[in-house]
Amino acid sequence: VKRRILICGGGNGAHCLSALAASRENLDVNVLTLFQDEAERWTKLLEDNDLKISVTYNDGTESEILSKPSIITKDPAKAVEGVDIVFLVVPAFAHAQYFTTITPYLQPNTLIIGLPGQAGFEFQCRSMLGKKASTCTIASLESLPWACRILEFGKHVQILGFKESLGMSFLTGSECNLSFPVVETVQEVLGEKPHIQVIENYIAVNLMAKSIIHPPLLYGKWGDWDGTPVPEKPLFYQGIDEIQAELLSKVSDEVLATAKELAKLRNGCDMSEVIHIFDWYKIYYKDQVADKSSLMMAMRTNKAYDGLVHPMTPTEDGKFVPDFNYRYTSEDVPFGLVVMKGIAEIAGVETPTIDKIIAWAQTKLDKEYIVGSKLTGKDIASARAPQSYGLHTIDELFNM
Ligand code: NAI
C-alpha cells in the first residue's frame, strides 16, 4: 500500500525531504508551500525535470537521487487530502501559518511532525489545532537529519552530511489511534540515517533545543557594545571568549537545574537526556573538537564551526554593525530561550542568567516577553512558552 505524506515548506530541508521521500516506492509525496510564489515556481521547474539531490555520505562516497513529489501547491485542501503524516520543515517562525492553514482539512489519526520542532512546538501545535489536537499525534525531532542547502531552487539540493542519530519525542492525543507505528514509519521515510532515538519525555527535547547557544554568545559579545562599527565580522563560535563561555555555561546550568527539579517534582520522570552543553559538545562533536579541556576551547577548536561569523550588517564606510534581528535572536529567543524560561518558571527554578539575556535581547527585537523575572510581558503570546498558551502548572505541562 502506498502511503501519502505531506511536506510543508520550500527551503533547504523541504527540498531534501521531498526528493528523498518521493524516491521511496511506497510513498506518495505532496508539498504545501505558502511562501510567496514558491509553489507555482517550483511546480513549473519540475514539469519536465526531476528534483535532484547530490548526496555526500559520511564515508565520503557520493551519489545522486532523482525523483519528484506528486504535487506542489499553495492550496491546503489539495495538499492535505488523503494524507496521514504531515512534516513541517520550515523555520519555527513559519509554523503558526501552517497550523492555521492545514487545521480545517486535517483528518483524525494524523501524525504531525516538526522536523525540526524547535522549542515550544508541541505547545503551539496543541493550541492552534484546538479540538482536533486530541485526535492527532504530535512529534518533534531535535534537528534536521542533514546539513543541506539548495544549489538551484526547485531543481537541485545538496546533502553535505547525515546526522548519525536524532532524538524524537511524540505525544499521542487521547483520541488518536494511528494505523501505523510512529518510529518505524518516520525511520522509513528518512532512510537508514540518522537513526531515530526515542526520547520519552517531550520536555527533555524542549530543554535540549540548541537555541540556547546563540543568545548568550551574542549578549556576551555585544551586551556592552557602544555602537561603534567594527572593521571585520568577528568569528561567532571560534571567537568565543571566557565571558561568553561562562554565560552559555550558566544558561545550560539553569536548564539542567530545571530538568532536575522537574524529575524531582514528577517522581523521577526521565530527564536523563538533558545534559550540560559542554558534555553535549564532547559527545556530539567528538571527532571535530580538537581541545576538549573547557567549553570555551571546545567551541574555539570545533572544525564544524570553521569560519562562521557573527551576523553583521555592512555600514556605508565598509565597516560592520551586528544584526540583532537575525535568526540567532528573532528565532532563538521567542522560540528558544523564552520557552525554557517558561518551563523553569513552572518548575519554580530561578534563572537569573537566562532572564538577563532575554531582557537584553527583547529590547533589540522591540518586544517584551519578560518583566523582572516573570514572563508577563505584553508580547508573550507571540513567543512559544507554555505561558503563551495559558499553561501554568506542572500538571498542565505533563498532561499535554
Ligand atoms: P530555510 O532557511 O531554507 O527555509 C526557508 C523557507 O522557509 C522558504 O523557502 C519558505 O518556504 C519558508 N519561509 C521563509 N520565510 C518565510 C515567511 N516569512 N513566511 C513563511 N514561510 C517562510 O530553512 P531550512 O534550512 O530548510 O531549515 C529548516 C529548519 O531546520 C530551521 O529551523 C533550521 O534552523 C533547521 N536546520 C537547518 C539545517 C540546514 O542544514 N539547512 C541544519 C540544522 C537545522
Side-chain angles (χ1 to χ4, degrees):
V1 235
K2 272 209 161 184
R3 180 180 307 289
R4 180 168 302 179
I5 67 167
L6 171 62
I7 296 167
C8 297
N12 304 306
H15 273 63
C16 275
L17 186 63
S18 301
L20 261 185
S23 73
R24 316 233 180 271
E25 263 174 24
N26 61 343
L27 291 179
D28 232 349
V29 177
N30 291 355
V31 172
L32 174 68
T33 173
L34 302 170
F35 187 56
Q36 297 174 350
D37 61 348
E38 266 182 2
E40 216 183 312
R41 279 197 295 140
W42 198 355
T43 303
K44 272 216 187 89
L45 288 166
L46 291 185
E47 260 168 20
D48 305 314
N49 299 288
D50 273 337
L51 173 59
K52 178 157 89 179
I53 321 182
S54 298
V55 190
T56 306
Y57 293 98
N58 295 0
D59 64 3
T61 55
E62 294 180 356
S63 80
E64 277 182 357
I65 295 170
L66 287 160
S67 72
K68 65 174 149 188
S70 308
I71 55 164
I72 301 171
T73 177
K74 206 176 183 153
D75 176 351
K78 269 196 209 148
V80 181
E81 199 185 345
V83 153
D84 50 17
I85 308 181
V86 178
F87 286 92
L88 276 84
V89 197
V90 282
F93 67 80
H95 287 161
Q97 190 187 5
Y98 283 94
F99 291 138
T100 307
T101 312
I102 65 173
T103 298
Y105 307 99
L106 281 178
Q107 292 300 310
N109 307 321
T110 301
L111 170 62
I112 299 170
I113 306 176
L115 185 77
Q118 309 277 35
F121 182 78
E122 295 87 350
F123 304 134
Q124 183 181 46
C125 185
R126 268 287 154 98
S127 167
M128 295 195 74
L129 259 52
K131 277 197 229 127
K132 287 197 173 177
S134 60
T135 69
C136 295
T137 292
I138 302 168
S140 179
L141 281 119
E142 62 185 350
S143 186
L144 256 197
W146 331 276
C148 60
R149 60 170 182 219
I150 292 173
L151 295 178
E152 195 183 351
F153 176 83
K155 286 183 158 178
H156 191 185
V157 59
Q158 184 179 27
I159 294 186
L160 303 137
F162 290 76
K163 303 223 160 72
E164 287 295 321
S165 74
L166 199 58
M168 177 173 86
S169 63
F170 59 95
L171 291 168
T172 307
S174 56
E175 295 159 60
C176 179
N177 289 302
L178 295 182
S179 58
F180 51 88
V182 175
V183 183
E184 288 83 345
T185 309
V186 177
Q187 188 75 67
E188 266 173 39
V189 175
L190 297 184
E192 203 183 326
K193 288 267 170 72
H195 175 71
I196 294 173
Q197 251 183 326
V198 178
I199 298 178
E200 289 301 330
N201 192 326
Y202 83 99
I203 296 171
V205 177
N206 275 273
L207 292 177
M208 278 308 284
K210 293 304 149 322
S211 38
I212 70 160
I213 298 172
H214 300 131
L217 264 52
L218 283 169
Y219 176 69
K221 176 83 185 166
W222 306 107
D224 293 328
W225 180 58
D226 64 3
T228 312
V230 295
E232 282 171 24
K233 297 181 180 181
L235 285 170
F236 191 80
Y237 304 95
Q238 292 176 334
I240 181 175
D241 65 16
E242 268 161 21
I243 294 171
Q244 290 170 294
E246 181 67 15
L247 281 163
L248 174 56
S249 188
K250 280 188 173 156
V251 167
S252 187
D253 286 339
E254 292 172 2
V255 169
L256 214 55
T258 301
K260 289 204 171 122
E261 186 61 20
L262 287 172
K264 204 164 90 193
L265 292 168
R266 296 298 291 193
N267 269 332
C269 75
D270 187 7
M271 284 284 175
S272 57
E273 305 288 344
V274 185
I275 57 173
H276 193 273
I277 193 75
F278 182 28
D279 295 321
W280 181 81
Y281 272 107
K282 285 189 276 191
I283 298 167
Y284 195 83
Y285 287 112
K286 77 174 180 317
D287 300 327
Q288 280 108 314
V289 169
D291 180 346
K292 301 188 178 75
S293 62
S294 66
L295 175 60
M296 181 181 83
M297 288 316 294
M299 294 183 79
R300 283 186 160 232
T301 64
N302 185 345
K303 256 193 6 213
Y305 288 154
D306 270 353
L308 296 175
V309 292
H310 275 260
M312 306 291 284
T313 312
T315 60
E316 275 175 14
D317 53 357
K319 293 189 173 167
F320 300 94
V321 291
D323 175 2
F324 293 124
N325 279 296
Y326 189 65
R327 292 205 319 259
Y328 291 1
T329 35
S330 62
E331 195 163 12
D332 292 347
V333 174
F335 306 102
L337 224 44
V338 172
V339 181
M340 292 157 205
K341 165 65 188 171
I343 298 171
E345 196 171 299
I346 291 176
V349 171
E350 287 186 6
T351 55
T353 312
I354 292 179
D355 297 359
K356 193 164 60 179
I357 295 169
I358 295 175
W360 172 78
Q362 68 186 7
T363 64
K364 303 295 171 202
L365 295 168
D366 204 14
K367 297 274 186 208
E368 183 192 72
Y369 306 117
I370 203 166
V371 179
S373 65
K374 291 269 174 265
L375 285 184
T376 51
K378 64 175 172 50
D379 296 309
I380 192 63
S382 65
R384 285 211 306 206
Q387 291 81 355
S388 309
Y389 307 101
L391 307 174
H392 295 282
T393 67
I394 299 264
D395 280 344
E396 284 167 343
L397 206 56
F398 278 85
N399 297 330
M400 279 264 297

